[in-house]
Structures are given as structure tokens and as C-alpha cells.
């Protein structure tokens, strides 16, 4: 009744300013037709549900949508205070370097503020590289290596990415500029040349996990209502 999480397909913009030619082909235009409206009596319902953050047009994955004004305020505040934690997966061109100097533990990553279990025994890598003269921090680790005749090092790497900050094209620029392993399909940052042979099937970047505080059930009124719900109504 208060917010939704939708799976945005690649190639669709979240919303479009006037005169940019996207017409009704936006997430914003589709939301009233695909989301269940809040139940009658819900406080401060928004007539048209609204996204509280963006994903780039070529990026697929999870998008937070507010259905009420209090939810919009709460979720926007959580983003501003960096309490919303996002996880992405991507396929990158080549084998990214992993150095001892940039290696951090699961506990270190958790303290940093990204969504990593402090008891996680995996080693993570830290990218702390400013973008547009602003701090930009990404935590990442490789998940799998796959042989590819077209890729650099004859390898495509599946990586998990956890941004602490949200700079413009942060993950795409960090992978391309810092690790020299651009995300597959990224015609903006892949450098052209042989990487062009990996284009044509879209950008291989997906937002697949998001952690947040419920914008209503963590309020005083919402908590009281939550305690009165039956177990099958809570989950």
C-alpha cells in the first residue's frame, strides 16, 4: 500500500522530460497500469506513483516506487542519508586485477556502509576513485570467470558490485577507468576497438538487490499497525 519495487527492463527510461521524444515509453507512464493502488483509507496517496531514484536507460533491475507522500519523503531521505544499499551484477570484459592494497574483509565492507554481512569470509576489493571531483566508492568481487574468444584475456568475468556512493555512471566508469575492464555492451566507456565485437546485446548491468527500511512500518503509527497484523499478513 505504501511503496513497490519494480523490475525495470533494459532500454526503458524511468521518466522523460518534455520534448525528449520518449512519449509514453517510460516507467513513469506505465506505473498506474501495472501497480495495485493502495487500499482505501491509506494516508496521503499519490495519484500517480513515482520513482524515488533512477536507473540508466540501458540498466535493468530493481527500482523503488513510492505510492504515498510519506513513503516518498522517507525513501528520499534514506537515499540522501545513504541508508539504502544496492547490489548489482555485471559482466565485464577481461580479468580485473585484485591487489592486496585494495583488498578488504567482509567486516570492513560492512563498516564502510555497503550491504555485506560482517561475517562474510570472502575478500572484497575497494575502489575509492573520485568522479567529477566528488568522492566515489565501490566495493566489488569476482563471482565467475567464463572463457570468450572475443573478450580481453579471452575471459568474461561476472562481478558483484556494491556502490557506497551514487555518482553519474559510477559503476560503469569505475570498471572501465580504474579496472580497465569495461562492462560488456557499454558503448560509452568500452573504448571501441575489439570491444565493439561484444556490443549489440545491450548493457550487461543489473540492479538485483536493494536493502532499505520500510517507509511506513518503521514509523510510530506503522509499527503499532504491524504488531496487530497476523503472521500471514506480514509476509
Amino acid at each position: 500500500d505504501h511503496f513497490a519495487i519494480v523490475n525495470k527492463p533494459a532500454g526503458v527510461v524511468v521518466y522523460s522530460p518534455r520534448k525528449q521524444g520518449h512519449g509514453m515509453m517510460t516507467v513513469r507512464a506505465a506505473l498506474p497500469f501495472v501497480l495495485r493502488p493502495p487500499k482505501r483509507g491509506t494516508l496521503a496517496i499519490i495519484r500517480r506513483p513515482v520513482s524515488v531514484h533512477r536507473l540508466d536507460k540501458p540498466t535493468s533491475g530493481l527500482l523503488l516506487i513510492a505510492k504515498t507522500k510519506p513513503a516518498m519523503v522517507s525513501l528520499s531521505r534514506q537515499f540522501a542519508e545513504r541508508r539504502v544499499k544496492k547490489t548489482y551484477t555485471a559482466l565485464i570484459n577481461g580479468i580485473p586485477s585484485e591487489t592486496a592494497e585494495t583488498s578488504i574483509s567482509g567486516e570492513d565492507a560492512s563498516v564502510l556502509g555497503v550491504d555485506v554481512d560482517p561475517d562474510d569470509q570472502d575478500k572484497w576489493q575497494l575502489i575509492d576513485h573520485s568522479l567529477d571531483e566528488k568522492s566515489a566508492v565501490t566495493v566489488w568481487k569476482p563471482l565467475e570467470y567464463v572463457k570468450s574468444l572475443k573478450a580481453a584475456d579471452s575471459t568474461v568475468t561476472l562481478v558483484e558490485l556494491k556502490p557506497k556512493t551514487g555518482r553519474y555512471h559510477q559503476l560503469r566508469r569505475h570498471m572501465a577507468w580504474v579496472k580497465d575492464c569495461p562492462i560488456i555492451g557499454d558503448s560509452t566507456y568500452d573504448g571501441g576497438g575489439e570491444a565493439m565485437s561484444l556490443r549489440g546485446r545491450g548493457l550487461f548491468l543489473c540492479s538485483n538487490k536493494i536493502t532499505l527500511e520500510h517507509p511506513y512500518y518503521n514509523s510510530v503509527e506503522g509499527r503499532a499497525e504491524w504488531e496487530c497484523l497476523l503472521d500471514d499478513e506480514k509476509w
Side-chain angles (χ1 to χ4, degrees), residues 130-147:
S130 298
L131 297 171
D132 305 321
E133 300 183 349
K134 295 180 180 179
S135 171
V137 176
T138 301
V139 174
W140 69 277
K141 70 176 179 181
L143 299 176
E144 187 176 353
Y145 301 95
V146 179
K147 291 298 182 182

Side-chain angles (χ1 to χ4, degrees), residues 3 29 53 64 75 94 100 126 137 144 180 231:
F3 79 108
H53 65 114
L64 282 176
L75 293 171
L126 175 68
V137 176
E144 187 176 353
D180 197 27
D231 287 342

Side-chain angles (χ1 to χ4, degrees), residues 1 12 42 85 117 125 135 161-162 190 194-195 199 208:
D1 291 326
V12 178
T42 301
K85 301 175 182 180
D117 188 329
Q125 287 287 312
S135 171
L161 305 163
K162 296 179 181 286
D190 66 10
E194 294 182 0
R199 296 179 185 176
N208 58 355

